[in-house]
Amino acid sequence: MVTVSEGIVDRFSLNLTFVLFLSVVVVTLFMALLTAPQRDEISEFYLGNRTMSPLRNGLAMCGDYVSAATLLGSTGLVALTGYDGLLYLGGTVVAWMMVLLLVAEPLRRAGKYTLGDTLALRLTRLQRPARLALAVCTLAITTLYLVAQLVGSMALLTQFTGEPSAATRTLCVIVIGTIVIVYAAIGGAPGATVIQIIKAVMLIAGVTVTAVMVLHHYDWNPGALLSAAADHSGTGTQFLEPGLRYGVSTTSKLDFFSLELAIVLGLAALPHVLMRLLAPRKVDVLRSSLVWAVGLVGLVCLAAGILGLGATAVVGRETIAQTDHKGDSAVLLLANALGGGILTALLSCLAFVTLLAVAAGLTLAAASSLAHDLYGEVIRKGRASETEELMVARLSAAVIGVLAMMLALISWGANTATLAFLAFAIAASAILPTIVYTLFWRRFTGEGALLSLWGGLVCSVLLVLFSPVVSSTPGSFYPDADFAWFPLQNPGIVSIPAGFLLGWLGTVLSERQGAKGDAAYAEFEVRMLVGAKE
């Protein structure tokens, strides 16, 4: 990661950001403690308030998904690459449509607390090994994504202070990580939901107001905004055409396709998103909630696109690239140009709160899977009491938070987008094939689930280890080494088909279940289509 030598934010903005962030943290911590589960019931800790309105559920879903990478990274990508960045934002909205149309309703009807419960209901054999494999995949995905959020907090701090010292980085990660642990371990799903909703409202308001300021700056003429962006991009009209970043070569085109494939398919299998799908008690509430989520995420992505173009038009592409070659500083530079220190502080505070909210949801999802699937069902074989499982869930949240903090400090300088996109690729390669086959293939067996989960995970990780992400380029983890025989940075184009193929292969090579398997699927299908009384 290339860092700036000095912060781009003045002292006034820094102090105001600190006051605003501290105020939001105090309020949300108080509300999280106030809404925390009062009884030792795992359903309340895992799923929270199941009678929320569709709008509140939609806000929580939006808050769970939209990370600081959308506010900073996606905006910067648009500012630096124009059309290609806008195309990337479009993939996010399509991904939510996949969730709405493919897995949401069947999974909600057939699920309970985690995806492991759905697998156990569907499979006649190898239920516990499948839960173990699923817990490992969940831990890998959530840890990668969580580390990306914590590394992102240090990258955001860089915008204020320049390259921070080791002590400053450590303090930043410990503070953010500790707050996240409190949200997840004490507040559970109710506490995490509170911060998700508050964060979503703040995010939508912040990016919408700033986008309105950009459009007002150009007299509400989108053509004038596009022309100014092209003029200040240094590339002319090529800025508004495809290929500025991903069309340089066949490899870059394949890399972009692989990335979009991982985003579109991976969202439907992210553990914290899947848990949010199980929260509404009624399917019609889930359906309306997802419609709200699609609309809200679409609004945020539209605003992010306007902010990216506005940053290029107002600040200039060269200035953005000189400040931070990844473009993460674009939105703060734009805010400073349009609204001075106050707007800069507001958006900076919003970025920090966004990091907190996403990290809390990830920690809760990982803790739930470890406590319910691994401890409750694999280790204790379903004999753990609710009080015991709840204690393990809270302890797991603390352990995962500490682990993520340690990995984030070790990973200082890593590209946060790379970590997040690897998490998407693992989800799409390991968990999504298992979900699709579980819900829609009568023949699917435990052997297929195990091969799909373990195979998708191993394939994704191995391809990344031998890709330019790890070696052979100046931006790699080990730039001086060269063992990158896989040319793409995202493995999705290979690992996702491999996950589906392995799930199919494991099933067709396993012993047929016969009448027992048909009866199990028939019962599962009725529940998936009709649901169960609760």
Side-chain angles (χ1 to χ4, degrees):
M1 177 185 293
V2 177
T3 57
V4 293
S5 58
E6 58 181 9
I8 66 170
V9 182
D10 58 33
R11 179 61 57 180
F12 168 75
S13 296
L14 177 60
N15 293 335
L16 182 57
T17 299
F18 178 76
V19 172
L20 290 172
F21 178 67
L22 187 62
S23 301
V24 172
V25 168
V26 170
V27 170
T28 52
L29 278 177
F30 176 74
M31 295 185 67
L33 294 175
L34 198 64
T35 58
Q38 303 300 313
R39 299 163 294 179
D40 290 339
E41 292 185 1
I42 56 175
S43 61
E44 189 177 1
F45 183 86
Y46 292 152
L47 302 178
N49 181 6
R50 308 193 67 190
T51 60
M52 288 197 307
S53 66
L55 175 57
R56 290 169 64 192
N57 269 312
L59 285 168
M61 291 176 182
C62 176
D64 238 337
Y65 174 73
V66 179
S67 67
T70 304
L71 179 62
L72 301 178
S74 299
T75 304
L77 187 62
V78 174
L80 295 179
T81 65
Y83 181 92
D84 285 4
L86 293 173
L87 196 62
Y88 161 78
L89 280 174
T92 300
V93 181
V94 175
W96 274 99
M97 295 300 295
M98 288 287 295
V99 175
L100 175 62
L101 298 175
L102 183 63
V103 302
E105 292 186 28
L107 189 64
R108 168 61 198 90
R109 292 191 183 99
K112 189 177 182 183
Y113 301 136
T114 67
L115 180 60
D117 293 326
T118 305
L119 273 178
L121 185 67
R122 168 71 174 82
L123 301 178
T124 56
R125 295 188 301 110
L126 301 176
Q127 295 178 3
R128 289 193 176 91
R131 280 187 186 266
L132 173 62
L134 183 61
V136 172
C137 290
T138 298
L139 185 61
I141 294 165
T142 51
T143 302
L144 280 169
Y145 216 154
L146 186 54
V147 170
Q149 303 306 309
L150 295 178
V151 172
S153 71
M154 293 187 285
L156 183 59
L157 186 66
T158 300
Q159 310 299 333
F160 292 92
T161 63
E163 184 170 356
S165 65
T168 305
R169 294 199 301 266
T170 303
L171 180 63
C172 176
V173 169
I174 290 176
V175 170
I176 298 290
T178 302
I179 296 171
V180 167
I181 290 173
V182 172
Y183 281 133
I186 299 178
T193 300
V194 166
I195 185 177
Q196 302 294 7
I197 294 176
I198 293 175
K199 166 267 187 100
V201 172
M202 291 176 60
L203 178 67
I204 293 165
V207 297
T208 302
V209 168
T210 311
V212 167
M213 293 177 68
V214 171
L215 292 173
H216 179 70
H217 186 75
Y218 289 97
D219 297 323
W220 300 93
N221 185 346
L225 171 61
L226 292 171
S227 297
D231 292 340
H232 292 88
S233 67
T235 60
T237 57
Q238 187 181 356
F239 184 75
L240 304 177
E241 299 172 357
L244 190 61
R245 172 170 178 173
Y246 296 109
V248 178
S249 64
T250 302
T251 300
S252 65
K253 293 178 182 178
L254 286 174
D255 214 349
F256 179 67
F257 179 74
S258 184
L259 172 63
E260 288 288 89
L261 196 64
I263 292 174
V264 171
L265 299 180
L267 175 61
L270 289 177
H272 60 301
V273 173
L274 291 176
M275 282 196 67
R276 186 64 64 184
L277 298 179
L278 298 174
R281 192 177 297 278
K282 297 181 179 179
V283 173
D284 58 338
V285 174
L286 172 63
R287 190 182 306 119
S288 300
S289 301
L290 279 167
V291 171
W292 273 109
V294 171
L296 294 172
V297 171
L299 176 62
V300 171
C301 290
L302 174 63
I306 295 173
L307 295 185
L309 294 172
T312 305
V314 175
V315 180
R317 181 169 177 260
E318 183 178 351
T319 302
I320 296 169
Q322 288 177 349
T323 306
D324 184 346
H325 79 286
K326 300 190 309 300
D328 288 347
S329 62
V331 69
L332 299 184
L333 290 169
L334 173 65
N336 194 48
L338 292 179
I342 294 178
L343 183 60
T344 306
L346 287 171
L347 290 183
S348 302
C349 173
L350 180 56
F352 276 115
V353 173
T354 299
L355 286 166
L356 278 180
V358 174
L362 290 164
T363 305
L364 180 64
S368 301
S369 182
L370 290 181
H372 185 65
D373 291 325
L374 185 58
Y375 179 80
E377 298 297 334
V378 176
I379 297 176
R380 295 282 284 132
K381 299 181 179 179
R383 294 192 294 267
S385 66
E386 292 200 359
T387 303
E388 182 182 354
E389 187 173 319
L390 188 58
M391 180 185 68
V392 173
R394 286 180 164 144
L395 181 62
S396 298
V399 171
I400 291 163
V402 172
L403 174 64
M405 284 187 260
M406 295 171 60
L407 291 175
L409 291 172
I410 295 172
S411 304
W412 162 246
N415 190 312
T416 55
T418 299
L419 295 174
F421 293 151
L422 176 57
F424 272 84
I426 294 175
S429 306
I431 295 183
L432 183 66
T434 307
I435 293 175
V436 172
Y437 286 148
T438 296
L439 295 177
F440 304 115
W441 190 16
R442 178 183 297 270
R443 171 82 193 279
F444 192 51
T445 63
E447 289 85 352
L450 288 173
L451 204 54
S452 178
L453 289 167
W454 288 117
L457 173 64
V458 172
C459 183
S460 301
V461 173
L462 282 180
L463 289 178
V464 170
L465 286 177
F466 295 101
S467 75
V469 171
V470 177
S471 69
S472 79
T473 67
S476 303
F477 284 103
Y478 302 102
D480 297 329
D482 187 4
F483 46 86
W485 53 262
F486 183 69
L488 307 182
Q489 295 197 26
N490 191 284
I493 195 172
V494 175
S495 61
I496 295 173
F500 278 94
L501 178 62
L502 289 170
W504 171 83
L505 188 64
T507 298
V508 297
L509 294 180
S510 62
E511 182 182 350
R512 293 188 65 92
Q513 302 301 300
K516 183 180 179 181
D518 291 340
Y521 182 78
E523 182 180 348
F524 175 83
E525 188 176 34
V526 170
R527 175 160 178 165
M528 181 179 68
L529 296 175
V530 179
K533 293 183 179 180
E534 299 184 28

